[in-house]
């Protein structure tokens, strides 16, 4: 096709008779980078003057329209031309422009499409304003044009949830004028639509905002604020959308841009951008370039408890057949029930049809004994956390599985190399550490053992993608990345109890920081006996000079295992999920302080936050130095996606990289002083520097 000299790469003009296609070709996702914006302006300017044209269509090369702004540009001042200028040019172009949308039209891509005079999409088109997930609001008219199509309430819902609309829903809401099934038909349909406008402009900005009851708008705003949890962008997005009904278009547009620019420079936005790229980097393992994943067509799971059943759901949801194995008929029935309960809930709430539920359940083959696993390509062991038991299961699996099958363990803490050593195929062994509830939590720690073969690791990464998990690769070490850091953090929180704080002081300080729950409420929820057993297992290896927090052991000796026993760090009224402070626990903690000769003093919330965060940062530095985690951003991903660390703070290392160097080092230096001999101080500076250099 002839190319027009007026267009600048990566935007080109393709002519077909009297029609012109403006094609954005900026792989991988056609982000609207500086060059794209400049190219679009040039192209529109050239075509606006061309009297021979009867139709202009805006399209993306490849299978994406425009994924949005180029997020990599957001860490610095934005360079001209900026997106609003391109959008203004499209609106001011005297000829109608039609957007032909294949794949993602997100953020700025959606805004560009809404500036056009009509929109035609393929059935795989995806539209939406996900800006809040990056800590910003739409900055190129999204909050003004969207409500003119959908009404204020829906626009609030869409722009604050950052929801991505599939083509059918986008059409139903009026974002798309037409949907075609085959990508090959898209250009033709867009062209017909452009010609049908017969030169008339159809600017959304000139439409009135549909009338809507104040109550509907208020209730959409209230719903959105419920999920805000300290995120500034949500509140600002609501304000910007509401402005559509209370300000002239141009004034509201300027206000939207001002909010966008202010938020773009915030720490929250920087944190979320950092996590966006961290997620994509985590799946990359440098020495795997040549390794091809092994095909996985059938999956086996041994142990249908809390984890095994939920892991089964992950694979059933992804369309894979699963053999679920238990040790006896009763446990098996309980395991199948766990799967059924989840699907039944989805079906009863209307989120899954009854037929779909049956289809997924039909892929589940329960069984006893390991023989049914002989043809499985991947088997995940999820039996009790007991080394001897797990070794036995690995040894038995080794005898049953076909050559090339992969053996994985869901162990939370144990030494994968020791498990692999129980088989004659250690290179086929890998850790797949899911988080509870496994069918909901996105994080998957992939544990690479000493002998794990490159193609086995590549398979684990491919499996993560199949079941839509976020993989982070860890090396073998007690607790891998997440549980190791969590346990260092919990230790410091428990030591603070001995020094003068109470469980509710610590929990409320950390919730105020943004964590989903404090460590003591978490402990009561998951059961204190698990930590107690782990401590007993590790007791012999502990440095006798190191300070060991005592209160948890004492609680467990009293049978206080947390919510399940009605008492732990807190006491629980019959059926209650929220605990109350318990004077008995306070007395027990005070007694421990006295026995150890520690003078108690009150802690401020800020002191608690610094101590707890410093514990995470210190442990992160240690495990990075040991090579357990490959990059600082991997550590942050684990804490954010597995442990309730607030995403808008970017993870402990990102958070620390944004604090003053002196303040961070002082907090780290205080840890060995408070903890005593045996405490290992990590050297974190190079990792924080690495994050600062990453430019977010
Ligand atoms: N800017 C820069 N790079 C981007 C990008 C963007 N907006 N979106 C994706 N990329 C990069 C990724 O980093 C990745 O690069 P890599 O290969 O070097 O790691 C590559 O493109 C492919 O991305 P994915 O791995 O995510 O590819 P998928 O096919 O899985 O997903 C997608 C494609 C759905 C488009 C997904 O990338 C996505 O959701 N992107 C972000 C969309 C978004 O948030 N847009 C709004 C931006 S803010 C904005 O537009 C402000 C405006 O209002 C002014
Ligand atoms: P669970 O106690 O709920 O389930 C374990 C199941 O394994 C039981 O149903 C038991 O009957 C079965 N089992 C025991 N021996 C077996 C054998 N020889 N063959 C077949 N089945 C056998 O335990 P849960 O919580 O599911 O934990 C399982 C594993 O997952 C443990 O290694 C644990 O550390 C790990 N894990 C647990 C998490 C959690 O939050 N519960 C989170 C991440 C990992």
């Amino acid at each position: 096709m002839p190319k027009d000299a007026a267009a600048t790469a990566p935007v080109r003009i393709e002519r077909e008779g009297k029609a012109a296609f403006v094609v954005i070709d900026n792989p991988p996702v056609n982000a609207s980078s500086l060059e794209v914006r400049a190219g679009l302006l040039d192209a529109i300017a050239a075509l606006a003057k061309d009297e021979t044209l009867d139709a202009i269509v805006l399209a993306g090369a490849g299978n994406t329209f425009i994924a949005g702004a180029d997020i990599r540009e957001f860490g610095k001042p934005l360079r001209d031309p900026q997106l609003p200028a391109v959008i203004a040019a499209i609106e001011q172009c005297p000829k109608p422009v039609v957007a032909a949308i294949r794949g993602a039209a997100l953020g700025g891509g959606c805004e560009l499409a809404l500036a056009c005079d009509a929109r035609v999409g393929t059935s795989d088109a995806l539209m939406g304003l996900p800006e809040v997930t990056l800590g910003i609001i739409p900055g190129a008219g999204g909050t003004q044009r969207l409500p003119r199509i959908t009404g204020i309430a829906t626009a609030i819902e869409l722009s604050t949830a950052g929801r991505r609309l599939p083509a059918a829903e986008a059409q139903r809401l009026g974002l798309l004028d037409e949907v075609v099934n085959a990508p090959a038909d898209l250009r033709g349909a867009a062209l017909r639509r452009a010609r049908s406008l017969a030169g008339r402009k159809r600017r959304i900005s000139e439409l009135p905002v549909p009338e809507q009851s104040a109550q509907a708008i208020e209730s959409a705003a209230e719903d959105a604020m419920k999920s805000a949890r300290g995120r500034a962008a949500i509140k600002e997005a609501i304000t910007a959308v509401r402005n559509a009904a209370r300000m002239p278009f141009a004034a509201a547009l300027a206000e939207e841009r001002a909010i966008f620019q202010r938020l773009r420079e915030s720490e929250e936005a920087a944190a979320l951008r950092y996590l966006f790229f961290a997620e994509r980097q985590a799946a990359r393992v440098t020495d795997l370039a040549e390794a091809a994943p092994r095909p996985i067509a059938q999956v086996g799971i041994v142990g249908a408890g809390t984890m095994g059943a939920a892991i089964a759901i992950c694979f059933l949801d992804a369309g894979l057949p699963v053999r679920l194995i238990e040790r006896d008929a009763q446990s098996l029935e309980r395991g199948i029930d766990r799967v059924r309960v989840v699907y039944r809930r989805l079906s009863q709430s209307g989120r899954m049809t009854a037929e779909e539920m049956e289809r997924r359940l039909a892929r589940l083959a329960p069984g006893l004994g390991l023989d049914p696993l002989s043809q499985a390509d991947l088997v995940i062991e999820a039996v009790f956390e007991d080394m001897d038991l797990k070794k036995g299961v690995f040894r038995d699996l080794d005898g049953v599985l076909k050559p090339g099958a992969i053996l994985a363990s869901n162990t939370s803490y144990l030494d994968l190399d020791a498990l692999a050593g129980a088989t004659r195929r250690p290179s086929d062994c890998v850790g797949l550490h899911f988080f509870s509830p496994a069918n909901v939590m996105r994080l998957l720690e992939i544990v690479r053992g000493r002998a794990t073969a490159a193609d086995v690791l590549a398979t684990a990464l491919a499996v993560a993608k199949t079941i839509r998990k976020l993989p982070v690769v860890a090396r073998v070490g007690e607790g891998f990345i997440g549980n190791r850091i969590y346990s260092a953090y919990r230790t410091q929180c428990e030591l603070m109890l001995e020094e003068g704080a109470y469980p509710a002081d610590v929990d409320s300080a950390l919730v105020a920081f943004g964590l989903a729950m404090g460590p003591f409420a978490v402990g009561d929820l998951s059961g204190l006996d698990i930590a107690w057993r782990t401590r007993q297992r590790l007791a012999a290896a502990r440095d006798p000079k190191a300070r060991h927090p005592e209160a948890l052991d004492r609680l467990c000796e009293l049978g206080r295992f947390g919510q399940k026993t009605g008492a732990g760090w807190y006491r629980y009224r019959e059926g209650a999920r929220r605990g109350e402070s318990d004077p008995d626990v306070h007395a027990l903690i005070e007694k421990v302080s006295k026995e150890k000769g520690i003078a108690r003093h009150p802690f401020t919330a800020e002191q608690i936050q610094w101590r707890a965060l410093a514990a995470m940062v210190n442990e992160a530095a240690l495990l990075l130095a040991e090579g357990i985690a490959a990059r600082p951003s991997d550590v942050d991903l684990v804490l954010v996606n597995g442990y309730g660390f607030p995403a808008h703070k970017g993870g402990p290392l990102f958070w620390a990289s944004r604090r003053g160097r002196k303040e961070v080092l002082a907090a780290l230096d205080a840890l060995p002083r408070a903890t005593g001999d045996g405490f290992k101080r990590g050297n974190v500076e190079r990792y924080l520097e690495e994050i600062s250099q990453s430019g977010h």
Side-chain angles (χ1 to χ4, degrees), residues 655-666:
W655 175 82
S657 78
R658 291 292 180 124
R659 312 272 79 76
R661 178 175 171 275
K662 252 171 81 182
E663 213 175 358
V664 172
L665 294 184

Side-chain angles (χ1 to χ4, degrees), residues 517 521 524-525 563 570-580:
M517 278 170 96
D524 275 0
L525 184 66
Q563 277 189 27
Y570 299 96
R571 64 173 179 214
Y572 297 83
R573 286 172 200 271
E574 189 70 29
R577 293 176 66 84
R578 258 186 91 89
E580 295 163 12

Side-chain angles (χ1 to χ4, degrees), residues 301-303 323 325-326 367-375 379 392-401:
I301 294 168
V302 184
R323 305 212 153 180
I325 304 299
E326 259 293 344
L368 297 172
L370 301 180
D371 289 343
L373 301 180
S374 63
Q375 291 313 305
V379 173
V393 170
F394 261 56
R395 200 176 304 120
D396 295 347
L397 280 170
D398 188 22
V400 171
L401 298 191

